[in-house]
Amino acid sequence: MASFSDVQLDAGIARGLKRGDAKAQTVAYRVLSPAVMGMAVRILQDHGLAQEVVQDTFVELLEKAHSLKDPAAVIGWVRTVAVNHCLMRLRSPWHKRRVSTETEVTSEPTDPQAAGSRNDDLRDLEHALARLPADTRMVLWLHDVEGYTHQEIAGLVGKTTSYSKSQLARGYQKLTSHFEDGDPEPGGSGRKTERATVLPSAIQVTRNGLPAS
């Protein structure tokens, strides 16, 4: 799972961005866009919307890079801008109606190969994350993968730190239930899965109580 913690941007490229250098802009896009896309697609669960986030984030970077006081802070700045664009889409009435409709309507897979591997796919962490409520999934991803503290998350979403902690605890509970109880969907195997074999170290759901910041 790509995250911003894996990204490194040469100091010369960061300074070039501030000057408006076209080559630096191209390199920055190549280096940073996978992390923006990875985060956006997992928070929004929609490749089209995630691509919009990538585009809007880099348009904003090109327009405002000259005003960055610290070129070394480019990665953190891009991450914050991308998160804000994700939040804008999660909060849009259109997105909320779409999610509500998809929750009510269940369609069977049309690809035989996809249908045959359905139970295996459901064991995958990303499929489990996709089944979480959007706010819970976002908090879990920002905290456990991107390294945000509860205080930082609270500031982003305009809530309290208690809200962030409770959402994270809810996410752990739901993921634990998913991997311990097996596939609850009709036709699922119902077979229990060992958490240690499927959960990356970034998201271990073996914690007790409300997680610390």
Side-chain angles (χ1 to χ4, degrees):
M1 294 183 179
S3 71
F4 280 91
S5 61
D6 303 320
V7 175
Q8 292 184 345
L9 190 67
D10 184 86
I13 299 300
R15 290 193 294 269
L17 281 172
K18 189 174 177 65
R19 295 193 306 268
D21 180 73
K23 183 178 179 180
Q25 293 170 352
T26 299
V27 173
Y29 181 86
R30 186 175 68 245
V31 171
L32 293 167
S33 61
V36 176
M37 183 68 180
M39 180 181 70
V41 79
R42 289 175 176 90
I43 290 177
L44 299 172
Q45 293 298 306
D46 185 297
H47 280 269
L49 291 178
Q51 289 171 344
E52 290 180 9
V53 168
V54 173
Q55 178 178 329
D56 291 350
T57 297
F58 280 93
V59 166
E60 194 163 340
L61 174 63
L62 298 185
E63 292 177 344
K64 299 181 180 179
H66 69 278
S67 64
L68 292 175
K69 295 181 179 179
D70 181 8
V74 168
I75 294 176
W77 186 88
V78 167
R79 183 179 67 169
T80 300
V81 170
V83 170
N84 286 333
H85 281 295
C86 288
L87 283 170
M88 287 171 57
R89 284 159 176 81
L90 285 178
R91 291 167 175 169
S92 72
W94 176 87
H95 183 74
K96 291 179 178 179
R97 286 196 300 270
R98 173 179 168 276
V99 171
S100 177
T101 301
E102 290 182 351
T103 302
E104 295 172 2
V105 178
T106 303
S107 59
E108 292 299 322
T110 56
D111 182 355
Q113 184 176 358
S117 62
R118 180 169 178 272
N119 290 336
D120 288 339
D121 287 342
L122 283 173
R123 296 190 190 99
D124 185 84
L125 176 62
E126 293 198 41
H127 284 74
L129 286 172
R131 298 171 63 179
L132 296 176
D135 289 348
T136 302
R137 181 175 59 246
M138 180 190 67
V139 170
L140 192 151
W141 186 266
L142 293 181
H143 183 275
D144 277 14
V145 180
E146 299 299 341
Y148 278 81
T149 66
H150 288 299
Q151 185 174 2
E152 289 171 331
I153 295 172
L156 282 170
V157 301
K159 302 282 187 178
T160 64
T161 56
S162 295
Y163 169 84
S164 178
K165 290 181 180 181
S166 65
Q167 288 293 326
L168 187 61
R170 183 179 303 175
Y172 288 152
Q173 182 180 25
K174 288 181 178 294
L175 287 179
T176 300
S177 176
H178 173 82
F179 286 108
E180 287 187 340
D181 298 340
D183 180 11
E185 295 286 336
S189 65
R191 182 172 55 189
K192 293 185 178 181
T193 305
E194 292 293 333
R195 283 173 292 173
T197 65
V198 291
L199 292 178
S201 58
I203 305 178
Q204 286 294 337
V205 293
T206 56
R207 307 177 189 185
N208 296 318
L210 290 177
S213 61

